[in-house]
Amino acid sequence: MCGIVGYVGRQQARDIILHGLKELEYRGYDSAGMAVADKEGTYVRKAVGRVENLAEAVNREQPEGTCAIGHTRWATHGGATENNCHPHQSGRVTLIHNGIIENYKELAGILANEGRTPVSETDSEILAMFLDARYDGDPIKTMRECLPEVEGSYAICVLFADHPDEIYIARLGSPLIYGTTSDGAYVASDIVAILAYTDTYSVLPEGAVARLRTDEVRVITFNGRNIKPPVETVSWNVESAKKDGYEYYMLKEIHEEYDALQATLRPRIIHALPDFSADNVEDEFFKQVDRIVISACGTALHAGMVGSHLLEQLLRIETRVEIASEFRYGNPILDERTLLIVISQSGETADTLAALRLANERGAKTLAIVNVKGSAIAREAQRVLYTHAGPEIAVASTKAYAVQMGLIYLIALRFGLVTCRLDEPTVAHQITRLMETVDLIPDILAREKEIEAVAKELIHEEHLFFIGRGIDYALSLEGSLKLKEISYIHSEAYAAGELKHGTISLISEGMPVIAICSQDRLIPKMISNIREVESRGAKVIFITNEDYTGDEGKSQWRINIPKTDAFYTAIPVSIILQLIAYYVSYHKGLDVDHPRNLAKSVTVE
Ligand code: F6R
């Protein structure tokens, strides 16, 4: 949802900003813009589309200056036009913004009465105008006075024309971090944008303004207190945010799933049992829980669905999985005996955050599974367990999904142990089976060429179905989402037995149906469903356990899953589905990492 970056220091700023924007492109790529401040005036360049379009213009014009800000946009208010592109300028103010100003109409009304009219359709320009209208030469005072009147979410970087060596920043709800080196001060939505220069950073607190100068960052709260936010160090290096010879991040990230799972799970397995003492999640936290609710969006939601099978089937605890964007409107049942688990790679997703806040308000226990350290969801949950996937850059989530599933398995097993639903030998056995499954990942990746060959057969399709039962239905939803998201092929995921209640009328001659059959006990039922679609002309891609030798209908292709425990097949199957989606998109010649209309973190409702 928009990426922002800024630099003030001893170096020419333009390349630092362009580099940062390139790294932040996963947050939106409808347009990009840059402002470079100088005593002579402020240079502003904007370009619709990818950062490379902006780079072309900037490299031609070579603006000079050591203080600059840049923005890459995911359009919310107003189309992807140059006019709506950031930075927005109003009088002495130049501003970039990530978030949504909810009361922008009200502010626009006040400004209209003062004779001020915007030139773009954006909420962000109204904020620039508002700051300019109240600006009296003291940027900190102006921001401290204006921002409490602004509702919604924002991370902003502001240049004031009469302070050309300073950047002013603030945030509410949207992420913003800053870091310093002997070369100057940097600010960005995400550390990846500035990781080439510094691996230490601070999260800008909400309700504060910071002034960035070459040699000093001053942070001051809205009520006038100077504060020093803690300095964090990133736990991965700049190399892990690089493509490493892969053509797309998505493929690289699929190949990183084994390491990510090891990094997430191994340190939490002590004497063969799951252990969260190093995460400060004490056993007491899991006690007196009668029901579990898992809430998340998109792929993270699908990880929750997979986890819920283990919780209900092995532990026999009632577990509901709720779409976060629907959750708070359904007046959900939440009390002190409910454990709400929220799952989020970015830790920023607005709907997931809202679900978490509601559960906190209603006195439920809340636990977050999050990949990004210090993110809003991580800060607001009562307990947090971090996944250690490292940076996930491709817009389509892959390795984050794998570690989310891995961590829910661990949570389920620890929960089972401390609530005496499971005994130690059972938990130890399950842990062994889980880690054996993780060890099968290289085996799956060795079949990549075979999976690619099947994917190639699908590139001209317009419609497709995924079917499965139980965990395989949850996997179908994820396989279908991944394929739609990056290949633009319309697909539907259906519970295999449900198809005949209406939707089977869509099955026509030659339509591909991907049938996921990883649960031995359900294969005979799946075979009946496969036969139903085949007799209506479907060509079936049969994904099943390698030791299955029974009836497989007239399936056109078969992809084998290495034999593993039924609870954990999601790990190998999801990699097969991710590779199918990847290679369909790749062979269609699409930009796999940047699917149209999307952004990596969705900070709007
Ligand atoms: C799909 C995808 C999205 C995210 C969803 C939630 O590939 O990445 O569906 O899973 O937007 O994002 P997080 O996990 O950051 O809350």
Side-chain angles (χ1 to χ4, degrees):
M1 293 287 106
C2 302
I4 64 185
V5 59
Y7 168 74
V8 51
R10 296 176 220 290
Q11 307 296 324
Q12 284 298 317
R14 64 172 180 266
D15 287 342
I16 296 172
I17 300 299
L18 285 176
H19 167 81
L21 289 180
K22 200 78 207 121
E23 299 294 334
L24 290 174
E25 237 185 349
Y26 72 89
R27 300 181 66 86
Y29 30 87
D30 287 330
S31 65
M34 177 195 289
V36 185
D38 188 60
K39 290 194 175 54
E40 310 303 312
T42 307
Y43 161 95
V44 172
R45 178 60 56 223
K46 308 177 181 193
V48 172
R50 303 287 298 271
V51 170
E52 63 202 34
N53 299 347
L54 174 72
E56 210 179 288
V58 168
N59 289 334
R60 201 172 46 242
E61 295 163 356
Q62 300 271 311
E64 300 262 328
T66 59
C67 176
I69 55 177
H71 184 272
T72 178
R73 178 167 185 246
W74 187 80
T76 56
H77 291 65
T81 63
E82 194 164 315
N83 208 32
N84 291 331
C85 189
H86 300 221
H88 290 287
Q89 289 194 288
S90 176
R92 285 180 287 179
V93 166
T94 304
L95 168 145
I96 52 175
H97 167 224
N98 166 32
I100 289 195
I101 309 301
E102 284 171 2
N103 62 337
Y104 80 103
K105 285 204 170 131
E106 194 184 310
L107 296 174
I110 298 170
L111 293 164
N113 288 338
E114 297 170 10
R116 292 172 175 259
T117 325
V119 292
S120 77
E121 302 158 273
T122 66
D123 53 336
S124 312
E125 188 194 357
I126 302 297
L127 183 52
M129 289 167 62
F130 185 50
L131 289 172
D132 180 53
R134 302 289 175 267
Y135 184 48
D136 60 359
D138 181 342
I140 290 188
K141 176 168 165 279
T142 305
M143 293 196 33
R144 282 176 48 205
E145 281 170 8
C146 289
L147 292 177
E149 289 180 51
V150 175
E151 289 165 19
S153 61
Y154 56 79
I156 52 172
C157 293
V158 191
L159 301 175
F160 290 88
D162 45 349
H163 293 259
D165 301 325
E166 293 167 354
I167 302 175
Y168 291 85
I169 62 174
R171 77 177 192 97
L172 177 71
S174 301
L176 202 60
I177 54 114
Y178 63 88
T180 54
T181 70
S182 55
D183 260 350
Y186 303 78
V187 54
S189 304
D190 181 340
I191 185 70
V192 293
I194 58 173
L195 194 58
Y197 317 104
T198 177
D199 62 357
T200 57
Y201 66 95
S202 299
V203 176
L204 180 69
E206 296 184 345
V209 176
R211 182 186 64 202
L212 274 55
R213 289 178 171 164
T214 299
D215 293 313
E216 176 218 50
V217 174
R218 181 180 170 207
V219 185
I220 180 161
T221 62
F222 288 171
N223 46 27
R225 213 161 33 87
N226 282 304
I227 50 170
K228 282 217 174 309
V231 177
E232 314 262 359
T233 304
V234 276
S235 46
W236 34 270
N237 61 26
V238 72
E239 288 316 309
S240 49
K242 294 264 166 284
K243 274 197 202 140
D244 225 4
Y246 288 91
E247 202 164 335
Y248 287 102
Y249 279 113
M250 182 176 171
L251 190 60
K252 175 187 177 235
E253 289 165 3
I254 293 171
H255 279 258
E256 286 172 346
E257 288 184 29
Y258 175 81
D259 287 344
L261 274 160
Q262 292 288 353
T264 302
L265 303 183
R266 279 276 173 226
R268 292 170 168 137
I269 299 172
I270 295 173
H271 304 307
L273 295 174
D275 188 313
F276 298 130
S277 40
D279 298 287
N280 299 320
V281 179
E282 71 287 11
D283 287 348
E284 212 49 44
F285 187 72
F286 291 125
K287 292 184 179 160
Q288 278 138 29
V289 168
D290 293 338
R291 58 196 291 273
I292 295 178
V293 179
I294 300 176
S295 192
C297 299
T299 292
L301 178 80
H302 297 155
M305 288 173 111
V306 168
S308 72
H309 282 271
L310 189 71
L311 282 160
E312 283 209 334
Q313 289 179 29
L314 192 64
L315 275 69
R316 309 301 300 154
I317 178 150
E318 186 195 330
T319 308
R320 290 183 63 132
V321 183
E322 300 274 0
I323 297 173
S325 55
E326 293 289 319
F327 188 56
R328 64 188 178 287
Y329 302 113
N331 194 14
I333 300 166
L334 291 163
D335 56 25
E336 66 285 356
R337 298 188 75 90
T338 307
L339 170 64
L340 177 87
I341 302 177
V342 285
I343 308 171
S344 177
Q345 187 286 126
S346 62
E348 271 185 51
T349 303
D351 288 315
T352 310
L353 183 59
L356 171 66
R357 285 181 176 159
L358 182 68
N360 278 337
E361 265 164 44
R362 295 209 178 160
K365 295 181 167 180
T366 60
L367 169 68
I369 297 177
V370 174
N371 198 43
V372 177
K373 246 169 118 181
S375 53
I377 291 175
R379 285 197 314 277
E380 294 194 26
Q382 292 158 18
R383 301 288 185 281
V384 58
L385 289 170
Y386 284 109
T387 50
H388 299 301
E392 191 180 61
I393 312 277
V395 165
S397 185
T398 53
K399 62 175 176 172
Y401 171 70
V403 290
Q404 286 161 355
M405 292 191 297
L407 201 44
I408 304 185
Y409 291 143
L410 278 200
I411 293 169
L413 294 172
R414 184 76 208 171
F415 184 93
L417 191 63
V418 303
T419 56
C420 301
R421 286 180 156 87
L422 302 175
D423 58 19
E424 264 191 36
T426 307
V427 172
H429 171 75
Q430 290 296 329
I431 290 284
T432 307
R433 302 311 314 263
L434 169 62
M435 296 317 284
E436 280 170 1
T437 310
V438 173
D439 285 338
L440 292 175
I441 292 178
D443 220 30
I444 287 287
L445 293 173
R447 300 169 197 208
E448 193 171 333
K449 283 275 161 248
E450 190 190 318
I451 299 168
E452 179 180 3
V454 176
K456 258 178 150 167
E457 301 285 337
L458 302 176
I459 63 174
H460 299 297
E461 302 296 343
E462 287 180 8
H463 306 280
L464 191 146
F465 271 88
F466 286 79
I467 56 171
R469 287 170 178 260
I471 291 182
D472 292 339
Y473 170 54
L475 289 166
S476 298
L477 288 167
E478 176 55 13
S480 171
L481 170 63
K482 212 95 300 176
L483 186 75
K484 282 186 276 211
E485 181 180 14
I486 59 171
S487 76
Y488 316 144
I489 294 177
H490 166 244
S491 87
E492 295 215 30
Y494 246 77
E498 182 66 9
L499 205 61
K500 57 183 167 298
H501 297 286
T503 315
I504 202 164
S505 64
L506 285 173
I507 302 286
S508 56
E509 196 57 43
M511 183 181 286
V513 173
I514 299 182
I516 306 169
C517 307
S518 75
Q519 306 293 300
D520 283 341
R521 72 192 166 96
L522 296 172
I523 294 182
K525 299 277 173 224
M526 282 298 295
I527 295 298
S528 306
N529 301 134
I530 288 172
R531 289 201 172 280
E532 284 159 15
V533 293
E534 276 176 351
S535 55
R536 279 137 186 108
K539 46 184 189 196
V540 170
I541 297 154
F542 185 50
I543 302 180
T544 197
N545 300 327
E546 63 188 359
D547 62 348
Y548 176 71
T549 52
D551 182 8
E552 51 186 78
K554 294 189 298 235
S555 300
Q556 204 117 345
W557 300 283
R558 172 169 172 163
I559 300 174
N560 281 328
I561 312 164
K563 187 66 194 147
T564 183
D565 189 285
F567 280 128
Y568 308 115
T569 52
I571 292 172
V573 173
S574 60
I575 296 178
I576 294 172
L577 299 175
Q578 290 163 357
L579 287 170
I580 291 177
Y582 174 82
Y583 279 110
V584 172
S585 175
Y586 179 78
H587 288 293
K588 284 183 83 170
L590 299 170
D591 182 346
V592 181
D593 286 341
H594 301 103
R596 67 188 178 207
N597 304 340
L598 286 169
K600 182 88 184 147
S601 41
V602 184
T603 51
V604 293
E605 288 184 24

